[in-house]
Amino acid sequence: MTKKKSLIYSIITYVITFALIIFCVIFCGKKFYYDSPIKVFLLFLAGAVVFGFLNAFFHELGHIVSGSKNGFKILAFTVWFFKWTRVKDKFKFSFTMIGNEAGYTDS
């Protein structure tokens, strides 16, 4: 997939996600919450970010476990813009820009 096509798909995904959050805030927020719609929106958004990160983290962790059991040496582990890189026998933490994926594992 080309970078341009990947960017278009990412934008479409973000727009659909944002629209679903707005939908939930408008229709579910009135029924279940009596606070301001902005507060409900921020709660939905925070939940999406936290659980999206946890989902990507545990998904990539599964690759590490499987790779380790099959004899691969893990060189790097990236989730969103957080990266852990193996330097000698220790992992070094750094920030990186995301590419076309939510995370990846180098082996």
Side-chain angles (χ1 to χ4, degrees), residues 8-92:
I8 291 170
Y9 285 149
S10 294
I11 290 170
I12 291 170
T13 302
Y14 291 136
V15 167
I16 290 171
T17 302
F18 187 74
L20 287 173
I21 290 171
I22 296 297
F23 174 81
C24 288
V25 168
I26 290 171
F27 292 104
C28 299
K30 287 182 181 178
K31 188 173 183 179
F32 298 111
Y33 298 101
Y34 295 102
D35 292 336
S36 72
I38 302 242
K39 183 177 178 182
V40 174
F41 171 76
L42 291 175
L43 287 173
F44 274 105
L45 189 62
V49 168
V50 168
F51 288 108
F53 177 81
L54 289 175
N55 182 30
F57 179 82
F58 284 111
H59 173 88
E60 296 304 322
L61 192 62
H63 290 288
I64 287 179
V65 170
S66 298
S68 296
K69 286 190 176 196
N70 287 303
F72 289 91
K73 183 176 180 180
I74 306 305
L75 301 177
F77 174 62
T78 303
V79 177
W80 290 3
F81 50 88
F82 303 108
K83 184 173 187 174
W84 294 268
T85 308
R86 183 186 296 261
V87 178
K88 297 185 182 177
D89 282 334
K90 295 182 179 181
F91 279 94
K92 177 184 164 194

